[in-house]
Amino acid sequence: MKIDPALFLDSAISEETRRFNAEKVAELEALPDSWSVPPAVVRELRAQGRGAFPMPPKCPRAQVLTIEGPHGPIQIRQILPESGEPTGVYLHIHGGGWTFGTSDGQDDRLEEITRTTGAVALSIEYRLAPETPYPHGPDDCETAALWLFDQSPFAHLPVVIGGESAGAHLSVVTMVRLRDRHGMTPFSGAVLTAGCYDLSLTPSARNWGTEKLILNTRDITNFVRCFLGADGDATPADISPLRANLHALPPALFSVGTRDALLDDSLFMAQRWLAAGNDAELSIHPGGCHVFQAFPLEISRQSNSEIDAFIRAAFAGNR
């Protein structure tokens, strides 16, 4: 995998992206400290659109399915294509540091994926930390994936799994669990956007500092503490999948911006994916902040278009 070093130069960042980053930092610095209040308060503010990411309108076609899991019922948000039978399944796991986020917090993007790929989008409402820390969230995602392949009406379709940030982490954990615990390698592809794959923190995460460009070192540290508890061990492969045996996993698209505190996680994981004998694509976007794909930028349109093309190709068996 050849990576162009010019992508990491300051001169490669567009004026639009540069301006957006500066405005976002100023906006977030003006907000109250999100770690000064309980997570439930932050979740409510985010639901009102008063967080780092925009809160899109809810899809009127969405349905909520409920399945049983080891820790109680699990909801799965389903968005079908507007017309025709689905050509595949996009099994989505939302981000939010294992602490925030909801399955309905990205309806607009999931609707777009149903339009551009013909997929049925299924988004997992997994349990959140710190109220329900590890292993609750990963257990819910594992259970939802097993239901999809064993019991759902879509079991005959090709499936691409994916998510953003913590959702990308949980996607890898889910793939490894299905392989190791159930002897299953059923996914046709994986869309892994700005994931956190080493919860002991990669150099870019540890050295980012205090700048509030969506995510900083303090945020990542606090998210990990919520997920694992104050004395949790970040080294097991089920927690930090960068350390896992990654053989026999599907083709993956890793997407990340160069102004993301988790940049190294994608750079490192893409290389480990290849070294395990899997196909991997690494898409690097100059100046992109953490999960920049959620914002109305040209680099976002480019990245989302790449993701859609990857999903289509995976459904067609061309990955």
Side-chain angles (χ1 to χ4, degrees):
M1 179 184 294
K2 183 175 175 57
I3 303 173
D4 184 356
L7 294 169
F8 300 91
L9 298 177
D10 184 72
S11 59
I13 303 173
S14 72
E15 285 305 312
E16 178 193 45
T17 301
R18 193 186 307 278
R19 183 172 58 253
F20 171 83
N21 288 349
E23 292 172 353
K24 181 57 69 172
V25 169
E27 173 192 327
L28 295 179
E29 286 181 344
L31 294 177
D33 179 12
S34 60
W35 296 109
S36 66
V37 296
V41 174
V42 178
R43 292 176 194 137
E44 179 58 32
L45 292 172
R46 287 168 64 109
Q48 298 170 12
R50 298 164 62 190
F53 293 98
M55 179 55 65
K58 303 296 184 287
C59 172
R61 297 184 289 108
Q63 296 178 302
V64 177
L65 314 175
T66 302
I67 64 173
E68 288 302 316
H71 308 294
I74 303 167
Q75 292 187 338
I76 300 175
R77 189 171 182 82
Q78 171 185 286
I79 302 178
L80 289 164
E82 286 192 271
S83 61
E85 292 295 317
T87 57
V89 179
Y90 179 52
L91 182 62
H92 173 259
I93 307 178
H94 70 76
W98 312 280
T99 304
F100 306 130
T102 58
S103 61
D104 64 359
Q106 45 284 311
D107 273 10
D108 58 340
R109 176 61 183 139
L110 295 182
E111 275 195 281
E112 182 177 46
I113 287 174
T114 68
R115 289 194 303 271
T116 59
T117 72
V120 52
L122 301 174
S123 190
I124 305 168
E125 191 72 40
Y126 58 89
R127 284 166 175 77
L128 298 176
E131 296 88 344
T132 50
Y134 175 86
H136 290 76
D139 288 351
D140 286 348
C141 294
E142 176 187 359
T143 300
L146 290 172
W147 166 84
L148 170 58
F149 290 109
D150 293 341
Q151 301 177 44
S152 82
F154 311 112
H156 63 291
L157 295 173
V159 178
V160 171
I161 189 172
E164 311 80 33
S165 194
H169 162 273
L170 290 169
S171 295
V172 178
V173 169
T174 298
M175 287 184 277
V176 173
R177 283 186 172 204
L178 260 62
R179 184 198 66 197
D180 292 351
R181 299 182 178 188
H182 308 281
M184 299 171 62
T185 53
F187 295 101
S188 298
V191 171
L192 303 172
T193 302
C196 181
Y197 307 116
D198 185 352
L199 276 65
S200 64
L201 275 62
T202 57
S204 65
R206 189 173 297 277
N207 297 327
W208 177 270
T210 60
E211 185 183 23
K212 290 187 176 182
L213 185 55
I214 305 296
L215 188 72
N216 62 24
T217 300
R218 180 188 178 215
D219 295 328
I220 300 167
T221 301
N222 284 338
F223 282 138
V224 170
R225 184 176 294 114
C226 286
F227 185 55
L228 297 181
D231 300 318
D233 182 3
T235 60
D238 193 53
I239 292 169
S240 291
L242 187 65
R243 304 165 185 260
N245 183 330
L246 300 173
H247 78 277
L249 296 181
L253 171 61
F254 296 88
S255 300
V256 69
T258 62
R259 293 285 291 136
D260 189 334
L262 295 175
L263 172 62
D264 282 353
D265 290 70
S266 289
L267 296 179
F268 296 174
M269 184 59 100
Q271 303 303 321
R272 289 224 57 231
W273 210 265
L274 284 172
N278 309 308
D279 290 334
E281 299 177 35
L282 177 60
S283 182
I284 300 169
H285 297 265
C289 65
H290 186 59
V291 194
F292 65 87
Q293 292 86 352
F295 301 105
L297 299 167
E298 179 57 32
I299 58 170
S300 306
R301 288 184 282 273
Q302 293 171 0
S303 180
N304 287 331
S305 178
E306 288 176 351
I307 290 168
D308 296 350
F310 179 91
I311 294 173
R312 287 193 301 269
F315 287 169
N318 294 329
R319 291 291 176 189

